[in-house]
């Protein structure tokens, strides 16, 4: 019986060795000239509907790595993502901006990274199409005026499509003129305005209109988060923003700068950055 058990153990040990290999073979380097390991993924899968890639295609480009930023918290200013273009940082640099009418250096007052509205609108020197935009702003702590005369400014996308800036905390005014509204077109889905004097955030994802000749192929689309809450979700603009009017699209609306409006009310801005967006698989 003991002899049988001993032989059985030898057979089991031999089988395990054949399956797993010896300890030395576990750590062995690949043989010289061996083919490199295959990329993870599958090519024996259906093509996706656009005909570009297999489902789980191993050759599809991996997305670039971006270090995320940090959120602002009260007076502490957050950091932008690593691939963002900083339009307004913590210093005194206003070189990314110019006056909207006639160009030239910006004369709005700037102190410790906070830009105060001044005479005439300003815009970026660089133009954009599709992007993610982060803007922080605050209306004065002391309430002056009412309705549209209370902390009024605006963020203009491509210089033509406005997201309204307004002190809308306990402020009754027309719906499509409230804070984070697509001015003159759509009111925000909800009013999430903070009290006067508190810093507020806009996170905007914008897709520029497309044209074929003079014809609009697709309108401008925007998604807006006001203080982290969705106020527009992939909503199309009727056309460029205007007061009391609905002007039509024109091919020149396909790109443009980011602009900040002077409406004669004091409004503060800080920590503005933008990330131009590319298509999937684009280098």
């Amino acid at each position: 019986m003991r002899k049988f058990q001993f032989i059985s153990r030898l057979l089991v040990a031999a089988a395990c060795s054949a399956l797993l290999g010896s300890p030395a073979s576990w750590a062995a380097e690949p043989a010289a000239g061996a083919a490199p390991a295959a990329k993870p993924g599958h090519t024996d899968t259906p093509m996706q509907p656009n005909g570009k890639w297999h489902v789980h295609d191993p050759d599809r480009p991996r997305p670039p790595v971006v270090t995320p930023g940090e959120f602002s918290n009260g007076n502490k200013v957050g950091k932008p993502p690593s691939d963002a273009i900083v339009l307004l940082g913590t210093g005194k640099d206003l070189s990314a901006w110019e006056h909207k009418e006639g160009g030239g250096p910006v004369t709005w007052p700037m102190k410790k990274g906070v830009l105060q509205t001044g005479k005439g609108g300003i815009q970026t020197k660089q133009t954009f199409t599709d992007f993610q935009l982060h803007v922080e702003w605050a209306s004065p702590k002391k309430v002056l005026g009412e309705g549209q005369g209370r902390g009024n400014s605006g963020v203009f996308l491509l210089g033509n499509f406005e997201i309204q800036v307004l002190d809308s905390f306990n402020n009754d005014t027309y719906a499509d003129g409230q804070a984070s509204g697509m001015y003159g077109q759509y009111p925000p889905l909800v009013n999430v305005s903070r009290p006067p004097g508190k810093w507020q955030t806009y996170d905007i994802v914008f897709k520029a209109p497309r044209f074929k000749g003079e014809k609009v192929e697709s309108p401008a689309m925007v998604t807006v988060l006001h203080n982290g809450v969705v106020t527009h979700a992939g909503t199309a603009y009727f056309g460029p923003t205007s007061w009391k009017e609905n002007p039509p699209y024109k091919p020149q609306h396909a790109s443009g700068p980011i602009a900040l409006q002077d409406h004669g009310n004091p409004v503060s801005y800080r920590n503005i950055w933008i990330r131009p967006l590319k298509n999937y698989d684009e280098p």
Side-chain angles (χ1 to χ4, degrees):
M1 182 64 179
R2 290 180 181 176
K3 185 177 180 181
F4 176 77
Q5 290 176 338
F6 176 73
I7 294 173
S8 296
R9 291 193 186 102
L10 287 177
L11 291 173
V12 170
C16 289
S17 179
L19 288 171
L20 301 177
S22 66
S25 70
W26 299 345
E29 294 292 331
K39 293 180 181 179
H42 302 275
T43 55
D44 58 346
T45 53
M47 293 295 292
Q48 293 181 340
N50 59 13
K52 293 183 178 180
W53 305 102
H54 289 277
V55 176
H56 315 312
D57 200 314
D59 293 323
R60 190 166 192 177
R62 272 51 169 174
V65 175
V66 172
T67 303
E70 297 175 357
F71 292 105
S72 295
N73 185 5
N75 291 326
K76 182 182 178 182
V77 181
K79 295 180 181 179
S82 60
D83 66 341
I85 299 171
V86 177
L87 300 175
L88 186 63
T90 56
K92 298 180 179 180
D93 185 7
L94 291 173
S95 61
W97 302 84
E98 64 184 4
H99 272 285
K100 192 170 183 181
E101 299 297 332
V106 172
T107 57
W108 287 14
M110 176 86 164
K111 185 178 181 180
K112 295 182 178 179
V114 175
L115 181 65
Q116 181 81 35
T117 53
K119 187 175 181 180
I122 64 173
Q123 65 184 18
T124 58
K125 296 175 182 177
Q126 186 173 349
T127 59
F128 303 94
T129 51
D130 304 339
F131 53 80
Q132 174 190 352
L133 175 68
H134 177 86
V135 178
E136 299 182 19
W137 62 274
S139 61
K141 187 174 182 180
K142 183 178 180 181
V143 176
L144 300 172
E146 59 183 17
Q148 291 292 300
R150 213 171 115 177
N152 193 327
S153 182
V155 179
F156 280 78
L157 316 174
L158 309 190
N160 288 285
F161 306 94
E162 184 182 7
I163 297 298
Q164 171 76 320
V165 170
L166 189 78
D167 175 8
S168 291
F169 187 82
N170 293 333
N171 181 16
D172 187 24
T173 186
Y174 47 84
D176 59 22
Q178 295 200 12
S180 84
M182 297 166 64
Y183 186 77
Q185 300 187 25
Y186 286 103
L189 293 170
V190 289
N191 181 346
V192 290
S193 295
R194 292 190 171 121
K198 298 291 186 181
W199 283 104
Q200 312 203 46
T201 62
Y202 286 167
D203 287 287
I204 300 167
V205 181
F206 182 81
K207 189 174 180 64
R210 267 54 173 178
F211 295 86
K212 188 173 183 180
E214 297 289 323
K215 186 178 179 181
V216 179
E217 282 195 314
S218 59
M221 304 281 289
V222 71
T223 294
V224 180
L225 280 77
H226 181 190
N227 294 329
V229 179
V230 172
T231 54
H232 303 286
T235 306
Y237 277 93
F238 299 137
T241 298
S242 185
W243 184 49
K244 293 184 176 181
E245 295 179 339
N246 279 319
Y249 278 104
K250 294 181 179 179
Q252 57 262 38
H253 298 148
S255 65
I258 304 301
L260 302 178
Q261 182 188 38
D262 163 35
H263 200 275
N265 299 138
V267 175
S268 298
Y269 288 97
R270 73 177 189 186
N271 196 25
I272 302 177
W273 50 262
I274 191 168
R275 296 181 60 249
L277 300 178
K278 298 180 179 180
N279 293 323
Y280 292 106
D281 310 311
E282 187 177 349

